[in-house]
Amino acid sequence: MTWSAVLLVTAVVWAVSVIRSVRVRAFVYSLPLPMTLALVTTGHRVDGAQLLGVVGLNLFFVTVAVAYRRLRWPILLADLAGVAAYVALSAAVLAVRVPFEAALAGTVALWALTMVLLLRRRAAAAPAPGESGAAGGAGSDEPADARRDGLAAPARLVVIFVGAVLTGLLGEVLRGMVVTFPYSGVLVAVEARRQLADFSRHFARNSLALIGFLAAHHYLQDTSAAVALAGGWAAFALLAAALHLPRRRARPAAEPADEPAARLHPGPAAERASLPPASPPRRPERPPLSGHPLPGRGGSA
């Protein structure tokens, strides 16, 4: 790993560490900057192994989240478990030759299945109508403690720089899988450890853009390195824009076809309903009593 790559990884992790929104954090981390540097500096070609490396990136974050949140491991030990999971997947992938088209179809299908499962899980966890969800709960993009994980700025910068160097040394032994090795992911997991579940969900969604980057690079790499990188970044930008388009709100149910006519020619029931409520009948007033005798009766008062 070159010094320029180490500095870039340091800059990416630094940017992720100061971003509050989990969604933006995941998007910044998913930018294929380390992949670009690895392709430029190592000369590796993109094939089916690199597409499965995107699966390995997601496996890394899922392993860290399970070890840290469910098993209550320390975050550094959970990080090591995530790296071990990625290395194990890489060893299995490198042991066989994976055709690119088969890997592309498999990763896209796996991404679609993951999105369906996440949507179902989110729908099941959504509060019922009339109930309010807990503040800062699952699915919250901006939890209240999003900036309380990191160290002081100078110490954080030193740790990020040293961690980038160490993970770069480990990545050098992975041959072609070095392209998708989670250089900054090891450090980003530490910075985002309080939001690992939401971060993993958002990163899984952004993974389709990384698949597009690698696919475009693969089909253009026989032309020139510059054209392949430009095509990869263009595919990434196109898919990322499609993934993050604002969602349209659900429109209210359409009115019945005969409702405008009903408004113009209301029926008897509608006319009665539109009339003001009738006031109750007034009781006749009784004449005041006086000292005169009632008619028909004699005598004095």
Side-chain angles (χ1 to χ4, degrees):
M1 192 176 187
T2 62
W3 285 107
S4 59
V6 171
L7 292 175
L8 180 59
V9 169
T10 303
V12 170
V13 180
W14 178 269
V16 170
S17 68
V18 299
I19 293 173
R20 181 177 180 83
S21 171
V22 179
R23 179 177 298 180
V24 179
R25 280 186 172 192
F27 176 75
V28 172
Y29 173 73
S30 66
L31 294 174
L33 294 171
M35 289 186 184
T36 300
L37 275 179
L39 289 170
V40 171
T41 58
T42 62
H44 287 295
R45 292 175 60 86
V46 173
D47 53 20
Q50 280 72 43
L51 287 177
L52 297 180
V54 177
V55 179
L57 287 174
N58 286 276
L59 177 64
F60 166 80
F61 281 109
V62 171
T63 303
V64 175
V66 170
Y68 180 71
R69 300 297 298 272
R70 298 289 180 87
L71 303 181
R72 304 295 182 182
W73 290 7
I75 186 58
L76 295 180
L77 189 59
D79 250 346
L80 291 177
V83 172
Y86 181 87
V87 172
L89 177 65
S90 300
V93 170
L94 293 173
V96 295
R97 184 182 180 277
V98 182
F100 184 84
E101 283 72 20
L104 180 59
T107 51
V108 172
L110 184 60
W111 178 86
L113 177 62
T114 303
M115 293 301 102
V116 171
L117 295 177
L118 289 177
L119 286 176
R120 289 185 177 180
R121 181 178 179 183
R122 186 175 183 178
E131 299 180 1
S132 58
S140 175
D141 289 340
E142 297 186 359
D145 55 358
R147 293 184 179 179
R148 295 167 56 185
D149 294 338
L151 305 171
R156 183 190 305 170
L157 187 59
V158 172
V159 170
I160 290 173
F161 182 79
V162 173
V165 174
L166 294 178
T167 53
L169 294 176
L170 178 60
E172 291 295 337
V173 303
L174 294 175
R175 292 182 288 168
M177 298 298 287
V178 70
V179 174
T180 53
F181 182 79
Y183 295 105
S184 55
V186 176
L187 307 169
V188 168
V190 176
E191 288 291 332
R193 59 185 178 273
R194 293 183 186 272
Q195 303 91 30
L196 274 175
D198 286 343
F199 184 92
S200 302
R201 175 168 56 87
H202 288 300
F203 178 71
R205 184 186 178 196
N206 295 331
S207 296
L208 183 64
L210 292 177
I211 295 173
F213 171 85
L214 293 172
H217 190 283
H218 169 80
Y219 289 113
L220 295 174
Q221 62 188 349
D222 290 331
T223 57
S224 69
V227 172
L229 288 175
W233 274 95
F236 175 88
L238 181 62
L239 289 174
L243 289 172
H244 293 277
L245 283 176
R247 298 179 181 178
R248 299 179 62 182
R249 296 183 179 180
R251 301 179 63 181
E255 297 180 349
D258 57 346
E259 186 156 341
R263 290 182 178 178
L264 293 175
H265 306 286
E271 291 180 354
R272 288 195 298 269
S274 62
L275 294 176
S279 58
R282 299 180 60 183
R283 298 177 61 183
E285 298 181 358
R286 298 179 61 182
L289 297 177
S290 64
H292 300 284
L294 294 175
R297 295 185 182 181
S300 58

